[in-house]
Amino acid sequence: MSRTSTTTMTVRLSGPLSDFVAANVGEHGDYENVSEYLRDLIRRDKERKEQEAFDRLKAELDHAFAAPESSYRLLSAADVIARNRG
């Protein structure tokens, strides 16, 4: 397994956002530090986007499999390649 590089980022938050983060970090929060909190938020967002992509693909496949067999037509590899080119 290859190790990816680490990137240091600076994030500026003020007002309600800063207060919200502070409430979730430290002794009374769910996270030990801001970096841990941000990593978790990014992971969750990544998982959400991957789930959305999966759900879209599943919906397309469900639609295709629900179509009557008579709506299908035989395609050659060349037909598929031509269709995908534009």
Side-chain angles (χ1 to χ4, degrees), residues 13-80:
L13 300 174
S14 61
L17 289 178
S18 179
D19 295 342
F20 184 79
V21 170
N24 284 285
V25 173
E27 188 175 324
H28 301 291
D30 294 328
Y31 302 92
E32 289 185 29
N33 58 56
V34 174
S35 292
E36 181 184 318
Y37 185 32
L38 289 176
R39 281 190 296 271
D40 186 50
L41 289 173
I42 292 166
R43 281 187 199 101
R44 288 182 196 205
D45 191 42
K46 181 178 180 285
E47 290 170 2
R48 179 186 58 81
K49 289 183 184 220
E50 289 169 349
Q51 184 65 48
E52 287 173 356
F54 176 80
D55 291 344
R56 282 192 305 273
L57 177 59
K58 185 178 181 307
E60 287 180 31
L61 290 173
D62 288 345
H63 177 72
F65 285 118
E69 194 167 326
S70 62
S71 68
Y72 289 93
R73 60 189 171 101
L74 185 61
L75 296 175
S76 69
D79 293 333
V80 173

